[in-house]
Each structure stands twice: as structure tokens, then as C-alpha cells.
Amino acid sequence: GENVEQHPSTLSVQEGDSAVIKCTYSDSASNYFPWYKQELGKRPQLIIDIRSNVGEKKDQRIAVTLNKTAKHFSLHITETQPEDSAVYFCAASLAYTNAGKSTFGDGTTLTVKP
Amino acid sequence: DADVTQTPRNRITKTGKRIMLECSQTKGHDRMYWYRQDPGLGLRLIYYSFDVKDINKGEISDGYSVSRQAQAKFSLSLESAIPNQTALYFCATSDPSSGRTEAFFGQGTRLTVV
């Protein structure tokens, strides 16, 4: 089955700096890669996703890049703010039509220091 | 707003007891999932269901069973709870036909087995 590795497990940055979280996956058939943000005590919520036919996607301060050949994808957050502090999960799925059946990484705890 | 609701939110039970966690949704989604979240281990899929007549095992189904009573209801049972089933449990739904690909999570049920 699919295996998703996520690094780093913890990340601390100064407000205004950029943050990068990296994930690798093992199943070359995976073609949908969502990122979820989970604030303390809250449920995970999608922040951005990318399909395998796209190399990069941006949404304001966040972006995701995908390298299918190397089987890795990354989340980039620019101009970080304290409210970006949360746990971020990457995931991989065989199809965007079945996003709920995803394999998740172990999460990255991001702390943005004011 | 349409939502995914889990009951109970918190539960403490004794080893060997049978317990049921319930999930109901008003999103009208056909696909429902149960995940387990352990500290540092991300989210792992227990069971999933694409419609009322469809039940599938996920990555870690041993020790669990599910029931899809209706399109809107998906229950997770622990037949004989054991301490290593102490975790945060999330129900999720998805519906690719809606045009949105992500999984929508409930608020979570924190289960402690003593």
C-alpha cells in the first residue's frame, strides 16, 4: 500500500519568514495530493490540493509543488503569521474522486513566533 | 450550515466494554470514512463506505466494526475495547460529484480506554 513520509515533524519560524514542509510518497499510481491544516483542538481542514497533471498551485500565501518523477510534493507558506501555527498534514490518494480514502503523513507542527 | 457531527465528543470506557461512536452528516454525501489519530502518527483509515450497501476495510480495521444505517449515518464500534484503542477518532465525508474533492471531517471523538 501507499506510504507517505513527511518532514520535518516540527518547524519553528519567525513571523514573516517562509515555511516549507516536504512529503514523499511510494505509490506511483497516486495522483491527488491534499494538504490539511489542523488547529489545536479542531478538525482537519483542507487548505490546498494538487492533482498529478499539475506541477504547482498557488493560493495567496500558500503554494504546493509536485514532482511526480521523484514522488515528492511540498507545501510553501510565505509571510507567515501567528495564525498559521497549527499541525499540517500531507496526504496522497489514488484519485481526486476518492479524496477521503487517503494515506496521511504523520504531520508537521508549525509554530510561528511573533 | 451542512456539517458532519460526531457523538459523543469525549468518552472514557473500561477495557473489555463494547462502545459505539456515531457519525451523522447533513452534507448529503454518499462517501463516509472513519479515521483514527494518534499523537505523531497522523490519520489512519479504519473503514470507509461509498454508499449504504458498501463497506470496506481500511488500513487498521482489526478490532473495529462499522454500520452504515443510512446515507447520513455511519457508526464505528469497538466490540471489546482495549487501552491501545485510546485515540482521537474522526468521521469524514466526501462527494466528488459536488465539484469539491476534499474530505470534510467531523469535530472528533476523544476515546480513552482504561
Side-chain angles (χ1 to χ4, degrees):
Chain A
E2 175 67 278
N3 182 51
V4 176
E5 295 191 358
Q6 183 172 348
H7 299 281
S9 57
T10 61
L11 180 59
S12 181
V13 300
Q14 211 59 42
E15 182 177 0
D17 288 349
S18 295
V20 180
I21 302 170
K22 299 182 179 181
C23 289
T24 61
Y25 61 99
S26 61
D27 189 347
S28 57
S30 291
N31 63 14
Y32 174 68
F33 307 92
W35 285 87
Y36 290 85
K37 175 183 180 182
Q38 186 179 26
E39 297 177 353
L40 190 63
K42 301 286 183 66
R43 69 186 85 182
Q45 292 189 302
L46 182 80
I47 55 171
I48 195 167
D49 57 10
I50 191 167
R51 301 184 192 181
S52 61
N53 58 347
V54 176
E56 183 176 3
K57 184 177 178 180
K58 290 183 179 180
D59 184 2
Q60 299 184 345
R61 296 186 297 108
I62 60 174
V64 57
T65 59
L66 171 65
N67 183 326
K68 283 221 73 177
T69 302
K71 290 191 282 189
H72 67 69
F73 56 113
S74 300
L75 177 71
H76 304 254
I77 305 174
T78 59
E79 301 173 14
T80 54
Q81 301 168 3
E83 52 264 40
D84 294 328
S85 295
V87 179
Y88 292 81
F89 293 99
C90 64
S93 175
L94 290 177
Y96 74 92
T97 54
N98 196 7
K101 187 175 177 289
S102 293
T103 299
F104 284 76
D106 290 343
T108 296
T109 301
L110 174 64
T111 302
V112 180
K113 300 177 181 177
Chain B
D1 283 342
D3 203 1
V4 182
T5 303
Q6 293 181 231
T7 56
R9 295 293 310 279
N10 290 281
R11 180 74 181 265
I12 300 174
T13 193
K14 293 184 177 180
T15 297
K17 293 291 188 181
R18 184 179 188 275
I19 183 169
M20 179 181 289
L21 310 183
E22 299 187 347
C23 177
S24 63
Q25 52 110 349
T26 56
K27 287 187 169 294
H29 292 174
D30 285 330
R31 302 184 179 197
M32 298 187 73
Y33 312 82
W34 275 104
Y35 279 93
R36 166 178 173 160
Q37 184 176 27
D38 296 278
L41 289 181
L43 292 144
R44 292 180 290 169
L45 184 63
I46 306 172
Y47 270 95
Y48 63 101
S49 169
F50 285 172
D51 64 43
V52 175
K53 298 180 181 179
D54 177 75
I55 300 289
N56 303 279
K57 292 183 178 180
E59 180 186 352
I60 54 164
S61 60
D62 287 349
Y64 301 94
S65 63
V66 292
S67 173
R68 185 81 184 266
Q69 301 95 325
Q71 186 211 32
K73 295 184 181 297
F74 192 37
S75 300
L76 176 72
S77 293
L78 287 66
E79 297 301 325
S80 180
I82 56 177
N84 75 0
Q85 291 178 312
T86 293
L88 182 58
Y89 291 85
F90 283 102
C91 174
T93 72
S94 71
D95 181 13
S97 67
S98 70
R100 297 187 62 174
T101 53
E102 77 259 42
F104 294 89
F105 288 86
Q107 320 97 305
T109 294
R110 186 167 297 281
L111 176 66
T112 303
V113 183
V114 297

